[in-house]
Amino acid sequence: MNERRLPGVAVLLAAMLVAGCASRERAARDTFAERFTCPIERVTATKVDGVRRSEVLERATPIPDPPAEIRADPARLAQWTDSLRVSPGFDGYYEGYRAAGCGHRAEYLCTCPIEAPIAKQAACTCEAPSVPLLSDGMQGERE
């Protein structure tokens, strides 16, 4: 009985490897298509080079001004700043994308945290940052 299932499982695994491997680019297109109700074949997504997730998040939530007593002490000020800084440790997992279609544009930070081809299919996700991906980035969502 197990011998009969083996070919079926092999075919299923092969189909998953060939047909479904998601990517950050595909996740950006899917996210955009769902958000703007735009057919996926009319959506383009282009990778934006030089995007660092930590920098995007720091621009979105700047470090607040410290209390006067901390500001007056360089060691405490350094500790204050370091404690609020976003770790760049996850930057390598994220890529920035600009997507467009159906009269709209949007930017996304996308990640595929699981690199195994089969598991990767449903693992890629994207989030729209509240600030442009790059400090001189695109403004607005309309084309």
Side-chain angles (χ1 to χ4, degrees), residues 14 21 27 43 50 65 81 90-91 115 124-125:
C21 285
V43 177
D65 290 332
T81 303
F90 295 103
D91 284 350
E115 294 300 330
C124 298
T125 61

Side-chain angles (χ1 to χ4, degrees), residues 111-132:
T111 184
C112 296
I114 301 170
E115 294 300 330
I118 295 171
K120 190 170 147 179
Q121 293 179 26
C124 298
T125 61
C126 296
E127 59 188 55
S130 60
V131 297

Side-chain angles (χ1 to χ4, degrees), residues 31-77:
T31 301
F32 183 94
E34 184 176 325
R35 179 173 180 200
F36 293 105
T37 315
C38 186
I40 192 75
E41 62 273 3
R42 292 170 51 189
V43 177
T44 60
T46 307
K47 183 178 175 187
V48 180
D49 291 324
V51 172
R52 295 184 53 148
R53 176 184 172 268
S54 58
E55 292 173 0
V56 173
L57 296 179
E58 283 182 3
R59 281 188 287 108
T61 53
I63 296 172
D65 290 332
E69 67 180 65
I70 292 175
R71 201 172 33 248
D73 183 332
R76 290 180 73 195
L77 180 59

Side-chain angles (χ1 to χ4, degrees), residues 13-27 112 115-124:
L13 288 174
M16 289 171 69
L17 283 170
V18 173
C21 285
S23 67
R24 291 171 182 94
E25 181 265 339
R26 176 61 191 227
C112 296
E115 294 300 330
I118 295 171
K120 190 170 147 179
Q121 293 179 26
C124 298

